[in-house]
Amino acid sequence: MTARVMIKSGREKPIRQRHPWLFSGAIEHIDNEAVDGDIIDVVTTRGEFLASGYLNRRSQIVVRLLTWDQAEAIDESFWARRLTRSIRARPNGPARRLINAESDGLPGLIVDQYGDWLVLQSLTLGIEQQKALISRQLLDMVKPRGIYERSDVDVREKEGLPASSGLLLGEEPPDRIEIEENGHRLWVDVRHGHKTGFYLDQRDNRQKAKAYVRDAGVLNLFCYTGGFTVAALSAGARSVLNVDSSADVLELAKENLRLNAFAVDDAAFVEADVFSYLRKLRADHRIFDVIIADPPKLAQSQAQVDRAARAYKDLNLVSMQLLKPGGYLITFSCSGLVSADLFQKIVFGAAVDAGRDVQIVERLSQASDHPVLLSFPEAEYLKGLVCRVW
Ligand code: SAH
């Protein structure tokens, strides 16, 4: 019989509403024989079945729920069904997120496709135990040349897992994989790149940004490998100044321009801390037509939200000061803990201090292959505003 975890009375509601996380504070009792990483049934104090999921006592999220149907066994065919369902729901394309964790009913599992390779991220002990099975199933379904792992992320520590990366199945990927996005060619380095190699979540926004950049002098802050830069140049931007603190990503950004037959001016790639470089641009009286600001996640925890809010405000304030009247600020936050509402208030605060009239002309979010399960609003992390700054 499956081991059981009993939850405290009065704590059933989020589970009945299919929120996939069970926190330690809601737990009354866990059967002694239950093994971390294994499947466990969640029951009420009266023994009534609520859901099944996988257990990890070491984590604050003690159970991640997989099914609310008592008749649905968590066996090999369960994982295959969930993978198939997610993959079938994706539009075809050479670079896409196939599995978006909790929102695809597969908590802790991310799978991205870059051409003929898949990159898998396993974030929890429960997924770690299924990793070999899931990889074989993915190989069968998608028929990639290889599956590469990039589970080198800090959150694994909370699960008691070490970082792990390398080839899981099939052939080693090349140093750089060429993908196509919105009609442009881009290199992705799945071994050393951020996350699984590329920020797929910005694909739709790179396309939308094209509408604002014709003949523009663009400043691309936190440019990474130049996804927004290639999009802007292809849409007729006059010039793009690229800023990032990492020399490696700037090199790949240059390669991405070459791949699309754009001239590379080394002076247009600046290795610097954006927050201080913006002040230099201001001191030099530089003015831009469009500024794109896509910083890394600035709030990693609730305790960091205030500090992150100050950093977002500073970034947006100085950016507004560098824009010509009627210029566009395309500004993002990928901190899940900073809500869209709070982000808009922060940008408003920046506008007040900059003494500029600012209009929202478009609201942006994560690409459609990063769906948000309604019962798990935490999955919505990326928001952006296209602002016209007078
Ligand atoms: N807009 C990019 C993704 C940005 S990811 C795209 O479309 O692909 C965030 C980037 O910010 C990373 O490349 C990281 O190297 C860079 N970064 C982080 N902190 C920084 C800082 N203080 N100054 C400059 N760049 C920074």
Side-chain angles (χ1 to χ4, degrees):
M1 209 182 112
T2 310
R4 304 195 315 173
V5 43
M6 185 177 286
I7 60 160
K8 291 179 179 162
S9 75
R11 305 298 288 265
E12 300 87 355
K13 191 174 170 194
I15 301 179
R16 289 197 198 279
Q17 291 183 338
R18 301 197 173 200
H19 192 281
W21 290 352
L22 180 53
F23 288 96
S24 55
I27 290 173
E28 180 75 45
H29 168 80
I30 304 175
D31 285 353
N32 283 332
E33 70 269 24
V35 177
D36 282 343
D38 283 1
I39 300 302
I40 193 158
D41 284 346
V42 179
V43 299
T44 65
T45 45
R46 280 172 279 110
E48 182 195 353
F49 174 89
L50 290 172
S52 302
Y54 58 74
L55 175 73
N56 189 356
R57 293 176 180 86
R58 284 187 68 146
S59 170
Q60 286 282 303
I61 305 168
V62 178
V63 185
R64 303 216 186 205
L65 301 170
L66 297 166
T67 183
W68 284 258
D69 176 359
Q70 194 165 11
E72 185 170 43
I74 313 296
D75 51 14
E76 290 201 11
S77 77
F78 167 85
W79 299 103
R81 278 197 311 279
R82 285 285 159 95
L83 293 173
T84 309
R85 186 177 90 174
S86 304
I87 293 166
R88 283 209 184 126
R90 262 55 185 186
N92 281 325
R96 52 189 182 146
R97 173 148 300 187
L98 294 179
I99 309 291
N100 195 36
E102 272 76 354
S103 290
D104 279 311
L106 291 162
L109 179 68
I110 302 278
V111 181
D112 289 341
Q113 178 171 17
Y114 298 112
D116 291 331
W117 274 268
L118 301 187
V119 182
L120 179 150
Q121 216 168 45
S122 150
L123 304 173
T124 58
L125 179 64
I127 290 299
E128 197 63 19
Q129 298 206 344
Q130 308 298 332
K131 197 166 78 181
L133 169 70
I134 286 172
S135 305
R136 283 198 307 276
Q137 292 179 333
L138 285 167
L139 195 71
D140 235 39
M141 287 171 198
V142 187
K143 305 199 169 28
R145 283 172 67 182
I147 304 180
Y148 195 81
E149 179 175 22
R150 282 296 306 274
S151 305
D152 46 336
V153 283
D154 295 343
V155 291
R156 287 193 24 133
E157 276 169 35
K158 298 182 184 175
E159 293 272 322
L161 295 168
S164 169
S165 50
L167 188 68
L168 289 172
L169 278 179
E171 288 172 49
E172 280 282 348
D175 289 344
R176 292 170 185 171
I177 298 174
E178 187 184 320
I179 62 160
E180 195 196 302
E181 181 189 76
N182 303 322
H184 315 300
R185 299 163 69 189
L186 293 166
W187 292 117
V188 176
D189 179 347
V190 300
R191 279 192 193 74
H192 308 105
H194 297 178
K195 304 214 281 189
T196 63
F198 188 65
Y199 290 89
L200 289 168
D201 52 358
Q202 288 284 24
R203 177 186 50 240
D204 298 355
N205 299 332
R206 293 189 193 102
Q207 179 66 16
K208 288 179 180 167
K210 292 180 183 177
Y212 303 97
V213 297
R214 173 161 298 282
D215 297 326
V218 177
L219 175 61
N220 185 7
L221 303 172
F222 311 95
C223 67
Y224 191 54
T225 56
F228 277 105
T229 304
V230 168
L233 290 171
S234 76
R238 187 165 28 85
S239 63
V240 183
L241 179 59
N242 301 279
V243 188
D244 201 286
S245 55
S246 156
D248 292 348
V249 307
L250 289 171
E251 280 313 306
L252 200 51
K254 290 181 196 175
E255 290 297 323
N256 278 330
L257 261 64
R258 292 189 188 104
L259 189 59
N260 291 277
F262 295 120
V264 173
D265 169 9
D266 282 331
F269 293 82
V270 179
E271 181 189 342
D273 168 59
V274 160
F275 296 90
S276 35
Y277 189 69
L278 280 174
R279 287 173 165 72
K280 176 173 159 40
L281 291 170
R282 187 174 59 186
D284 293 347
H285 305 291
R286 294 285 301 271
I287 292 294
F288 297 88
D289 301 306
V290 176
I291 298 179
I292 299 162
D294 180 24
K297 189 174 174 181
L298 297 177
Q300 307 287 343
S301 66
Q302 196 58 47
Q304 293 177 354
V305 169
D306 283 351
R307 201 181 61 190
R310 284 193 294 276
Y312 284 121
K313 181 177 170 189
D314 179 68
L315 172 64
N316 286 285
L317 167 57
V318 185
S319 294
M320 286 175 191
Q321 293 172 330
L322 295 176
L323 277 172
K324 72 161 192 200
Y328 290 94
L329 173 61
I330 305 178
T331 182
F332 296 96
S333 163
C334 63
S335 302
L337 292 164
V338 174
S339 67
D341 190 45
L342 175 57
F343 185 56
Q344 183 173 324
K345 288 191 173 110
I346 293 167
V347 176
F348 170 55
V352 170
D353 285 12
R356 306 285 291 262
D357 287 325
V358 177
Q359 302 167 307
I360 295 173
V361 295
E362 201 170 346
R363 291 175 196 279
L364 306 173
S365 64
Q366 61 218 50
S368 60
D369 52 359
H370 293 56
V372 178
L373 191 66
L374 272 180
S375 61
F376 186 63
E378 292 90 333
E380 191 168 350
Y381 63 97
L382 181 63
K383 54 257 155 207
L385 296 170
V386 181
C387 296
R388 190 158 44 223
V389 179
W390 294 104

